[in-house]
Amino acid sequence: MTDLVRRRTVLLGGLTAGLAAAGLGAPAAATPGTLSGAATMSTGPFQVVALLDATGPFFLTAGAAFTGATEQDWAHARQVDPGAFGPGGAWHLDFRCFAIRLPTGGVVLVDTGVGPAGSPASSWAPVPGHLIDRLAEAGIDETDVRLVVLTHLHEDHFGWSVSPGGVPTFPNAGYVIQRTEIAALQQAGDEVVLPYVVEPLRRSGQLDTVDGEVCLASTRGGTVSTIPTPGHTPGHQSVLVQAAARQILVTGDVLVHAVQLVAPDVGYRFEADQHTARQTRRSLLDQAGQRPTWLATAHLTTPFVPANPCTSRHR
C-alpha cells in the first residue's frame, strides 16, 4: 500500500469510527431507494449511489459478444435483466459508476465512466457521458471525492478521471489502481491509456498504485475494501462494502451481462484471459452466495441485483 492510501485509510477509518461510536453508524437496511433520481442502497453506515454515465447498444450482438451460453442461459438472463435484450439480438447496456458515501461526508467513487467527447472511449461508446451532472444531482461536488477506485483501465471506466488536457477531475482524491494493471499496459507498449490517464495522475501526485486487497475505510459498522478480481484485465479489482448483516459488491467488469451471472462459465469476447475471468467470476459468486449480497453492476440495466437470483447460476 502506498503512503497516500495508508494515510487516507487511517483518516477515513478514524473519523468514521468516531461517528459509529457516537451511534451514527448503526446498520441500515440494504434496500434499493432513490436519491435525486439515482438508485441507492445502504448497508451499515455506508450508502452506495448508482450514477448512470451513459447508456446505449453495444457494437456487437449479444450472441457475438459471448460464448458458451445455452438457450436456457439466455432465458434466465432475460428474467434477471430484461432491459439488456434489444431487437435482433442487440445487447443494450448501461455505463455506470458508483459513489460510496462515508459517515464523514466524504465519498469513494468507483470508476469514472465513458468521459467527455474526445475521450478514448469516443470511438465506440455513447459519449459524452453525464457523470459530472449525476454527481451534482446527488449533491456530490468533485471536491467531496476522497478516493477514486478504477476497477480497471478500459476506456469506459476511466473516462472522467482527467480532462482531455490531463487535469485530474477530482482534485482532493487519490486514484487507486492495481499495480498489475499498469504493469500489463507498460509491457504491452500501450500508447493511449498510459499517457491519457496514468501519467497525468502520476504528475499530480494522485496516483495510488496498490497490490491486492486494500482497506479504504473502516468503522465499527463495516468496511470498504478493494479486492483483486483478475481476468477481464490482469489487474482488475472490485470494491466490497461490508456490514454486519449484508454486503454490497461493486463488481466492475467481473460480469458484464446477466448471462454471466446466471451462467458464470460463459465467456466474454473482450476478456483478457477467459480462463482466469471464469474462475474469478465463479469464485466471487460462490463466496457472495454464502451471505446476503447485492451486486452493484457497471453494465447491467439494473444497477443492483442479488448475487443469488432465483434463476439458476449453474448448469
Side-chain angles (χ1 to χ4, degrees), residues 61-69 74 91 256-257 259-260 266-269 271:
T61 65
F66 299 93
T67 58
W74 288 116
W91 171 24
V256 298
H257 191 287
V259 74
Q260 294 185 298
V266 169
Y268 174 48
R269 181 170 177 171
E271 289 166 336

Side-chain angles (χ1 to χ4, degrees), residues 202-269:
R202 198 187 302 277
R203 286 194 298 269
S204 71
Q206 291 173 256
L207 178 64
D208 292 340
T209 54
V210 298
D211 295 303
E213 185 173 343
V214 175
C215 180
L216 302 176
S218 64
T219 76
R220 290 185 180 179
T223 60
V224 179
S225 304
T226 66
I227 55 174
T229 48
H232 184 76
T233 62
H236 191 284
Q237 61 185 345
S238 302
V239 176
L240 184 62
V241 185
Q242 288 184 302
R246 59 189 61 84
Q247 57 191 10
I248 301 171
L249 178 63
V250 187
T251 60
D253 280 2
V254 170
L255 54 92
V256 298
H257 191 287
V259 74
Q260 294 185 298
L261 173 59
V262 301
D265 286 343
V266 169
Y268 174 48
R269 181 170 177 171

Side-chain angles (χ1 to χ4, degrees), residues 90-284:
W91 171 24
H92 189 95
L93 71 164
D94 288 346
F95 297 84
R96 191 178 293 107
C97 314
F98 291 90
I100 304 170
R101 291 184 180 274
L102 305 173
T104 58
V107 169
V108 175
L109 180 63
V110 184
D111 286 335
T112 63
V114 299
S119 70
S122 297
S123 63
W124 64 274
V127 300
H130 305 281
L131 175 62
I132 305 306
D133 292 337
R134 298 291 180 260
L135 286 167
E137 291 167 4
I140 300 171
D141 188 81
E142 288 96 325
T143 58
D144 296 332
V145 178
R146 300 293 184 262
L147 290 173
V148 176
V149 179
L150 296 179
T151 60
H152 61 297
L153 293 175
H154 279 171
E155 297 93 335
D156 55 321
H157 288 260
F158 66 72
W160 289 104
S161 294
V162 300
S163 72
V167 177
T169 303
F170 305 99
N172 296 332
Y175 288 69
V176 180
I177 306 171
Q178 289 287 325
R179 194 183 312 274
T180 304
E181 186 77 352
I182 295 175
L185 289 171
Q186 291 172 331
Q187 185 175 6
D190 169 80
E191 297 181 352
V192 176
V193 178
L194 295 175
Y196 187 88
V197 65
V198 174
E199 293 308 323
L201 294 175
R202 198 187 302 277
R203 286 194 298 269
S204 71
Q206 291 173 256
L207 178 64
D208 292 340
T209 54
V210 298
D211 295 303
E213 185 173 343
V214 175
C215 180
L216 302 176
S218 64
T219 76
R220 290 185 180 179
T223 60
V224 179
S225 304
T226 66
I227 55 174
T229 48
H232 184 76
T233 62
H236 191 284
Q237 61 185 345
S238 302
V239 176
L240 184 62
V241 185
Q242 288 184 302
R246 59 189 61 84
Q247 57 191 10
I248 301 171
L249 178 63
V250 187
T251 60
D253 280 2
V254 170
L255 54 92
V256 298
H257 191 287
V259 74
Q260 294 185 298
L261 173 59
V262 301
D265 286 343
V266 169
Y268 174 48
R269 181 170 177 171
F270 297 103
E271 289 166 336
D273 183 335
Q274 287 197 2
H275 175 71
T276 299
R278 186 178 298 113
Q279 289 183 318
T280 292
R281 188 161 46 249
R282 183 171 289 282
S283 175
L284 198 71

